[in-house]
Amino acid sequence: MSDITDLPAPAPASSAPASSARALDVEGWTCPAPLRDRPRVVMGHGGGGVLSAELVQQIFAPAFGGEVLSQLGDSAVLSLGGARLAFSTDSYVVRPLFFPGGSIGDLAVNGTVNDLAMSGARAAYLSCGFILEEGVELDVVRRVSEALGAAARTAGVEVATGDTKVVEAGHGDGIYLNTAGIGLVPAGVDLRPQRVVPGDVVIVSGAIGVHGVAVMSVREGLEFGIEIKSDCAALGGLVDAMLAVTPDLHVLRDPTRGGLAAALNEIAAASGAGVVIRERDVPVPSAVANACAILGLDPMYIANEGKLVAFVPREHADAVLEAMRAHPLGVDSVIIGEAVEAHPGMVVARTGLGGTRVVDLPIGEQLPRIC
């Protein structure tokens, strides 16, 4: 396999200009980097960045304790009755409920299925909790439920149990959802960031930033000259294809809140390895790049809902990449970097101008409430 520093640059994306955004009402926008010494919860605590990590490490983990929780992965891997299970739960508070390419119902299934898949497990059963706001139209509840059921069938998972609660008008955004899921982890599969070693190749399964921009475009009524659709999808089949090549993948992560930057930083911190990526190799669609340029955002920090990042032993990287590209959800997979001995625990990007920059863990989130 070619050395990562010698890889050719990808073909340039379409440079079609974005249309001018309509006038924005920024009254309700939230600062993406709130002060960290505030005594109260701020929106950044839900963003998947530094504030989220501090909330977990300083409050939740000490209160709950437990060896399994200390893994702090996308899902917990545990043994029960001789079987290795992956177990995960997630809550969804996206606004609006429907957006190009999906809905809160799709997110609730695919997000939990993907958390399980990042442990190598194929999801089997889900629970689903609906928190409904008084006054929401029953037709909206029906549409969300139908989308959730269709997504579950597509993912090959069964919604086995659930719960419903109603809160007073003004205390919610129509519908919040919680899903939990379980699945079996195949023998010989051990996916966790502690297995990353220098020399591992970093692969991303396709274009980044699509979901967050799709949600923001309809939330704020923005137009970018082309409709941007969410990449929301269940990744179990793609992970199966990768594991069929070799069970010796080191770690998988779906870069949701905090985007690709947060996922890479979490892996680097947990493994103690450094990570180098080539900025020009990170696949950012022209529509997403244009939208981010208008809004002053960085695609590296925007959430995805149908992409994964993998750290793969170098000797298996070519075969795994080929298998990913043969799957419908991995057609645009590309190598973007590698794990290194230098700058342990830190992510560095090589820029198109030949320099380097540190890719930090975000404090909060550029686009809140997108999942």
Side-chain angles (χ1 to χ4, degrees):
M1 189 185 73
S2 302
D3 185 80
I4 188 68
T5 60
D6 297 325
L7 291 173
S14 169
S15 58
S19 66
S20 297
R22 293 203 296 265
L24 305 182
D25 176 9
V26 299
E27 280 294 316
W29 285 34
T30 304
C31 176
L35 297 175
R36 292 170 59 182
D37 60 354
R38 293 189 179 182
R40 300 179 186 274
V41 171
V42 295
M43 289 299 295
H45 283 112
V50 172
L51 289 176
S52 291
E54 290 179 350
L55 191 65
V56 171
Q57 294 165 4
Q58 298 177 14
I59 295 181
F60 297 143
F64 303 155
E67 181 179 348
V68 174
L69 180 63
S70 67
Q71 299 172 14
L72 295 179
D74 284 340
S75 60
V77 177
L78 47 99
S79 297
L80 187 65
R84 290 177 71 221
L85 297 177
F87 178 39
S88 184
T89 186
D90 210 339
S91 299
Y92 300 87
V93 296
V94 65
R95 179 173 57 85
L97 299 176
F98 302 92
F99 45 83
S103 70
I104 192 173
D106 300 281
L107 286 176
V109 171
N110 295 336
T112 298
V113 166
N114 291 346
D115 283 348
L116 297 173
M118 297 307 103
S119 295
R122 197 68 188 267
Y125 298 100
L126 297 181
S127 69
C128 181
F130 275 74
I131 301 174
L132 307 176
E133 183 182 15
E134 179 186 21
V136 66
E137 295 178 3
L138 287 176
D139 184 59
V140 172
V141 179
R142 182 178 296 107
R143 289 173 59 196
V144 169
S145 300
E146 289 174 350
L148 192 153
R153 288 187 290 273
T154 298
V157 65
E158 181 180 347
V159 179
T161 187
D163 182 50
T164 304
K165 294 291 187 296
V166 177
V167 298
E168 297 87 348
H171 290 261
D173 282 327
I175 299 175
Y176 296 151
L177 293 177
N178 173 273
T179 48
I182 57 172
L184 287 171
V185 180
V189 173
D190 183 16
L191 300 175
R192 49 193 174 88
Q194 291 78 10
R195 297 195 63 217
V196 170
V197 296
D200 281 357
V201 172
V202 182
I203 304 175
V204 66
S205 65
I208 67 166
V210 179
H211 172 73
V213 172
V215 172
M216 179 59 90
S217 67
V218 292
R219 181 188 298 174
E220 303 298 339
L222 306 179
E223 295 180 358
F224 302 111
I226 185 174
E227 183 181 47
I228 302 174
K229 292 186 177 181
S230 171
D231 57 352
C232 183
L235 298 172
L238 177 60
V239 172
D240 286 346
M242 298 168 68
L243 291 173
V245 174
T246 175
D248 190 31
L249 307 178
H250 284 172
V251 67
L252 302 178
R253 190 63 58 91
D254 57 336
T256 52
R257 294 181 304 167
L260 181 61
L264 293 175
N265 271 278
E266 290 167 0
I267 292 170
S271 67
V275 177
V276 174
I277 61 172
R278 287 181 61 177
E279 198 167 51
R280 67 181 183 180
D281 289 345
V282 177
V284 181
S286 59
V288 171
N290 289 336
C292 288
I294 291 171
L295 298 172
L297 303 176
D298 186 340
M300 288 283 291
Y301 294 93
I302 295 179
N304 313 271
E305 285 292 346
K307 300 298 187 295
L308 63 80
V309 58
F311 281 63
V312 181
R314 184 172 290 273
E315 62 268 25
H316 300 306
D318 285 334
V320 170
L321 183 63
E322 182 180 358
M324 293 174 72
R325 288 175 171 172
H327 190 277
L329 296 179
V331 172
D332 297 321
S333 297
V334 62
I335 293 172
I336 63 168
E338 64 182 333
V340 296
E341 292 184 1
H343 49 79
M346 183 182 296
V347 180
V348 170
R350 293 177 181 162
T351 70
L353 297 177
T356 60
R357 69 180 181 94
V358 175
V359 180
D360 287 325
L361 187 67
I363 297 294
E365 186 172 39
Q366 294 183 115
L367 304 178
R369 302 283 300 279
I370 46 75
C371 64

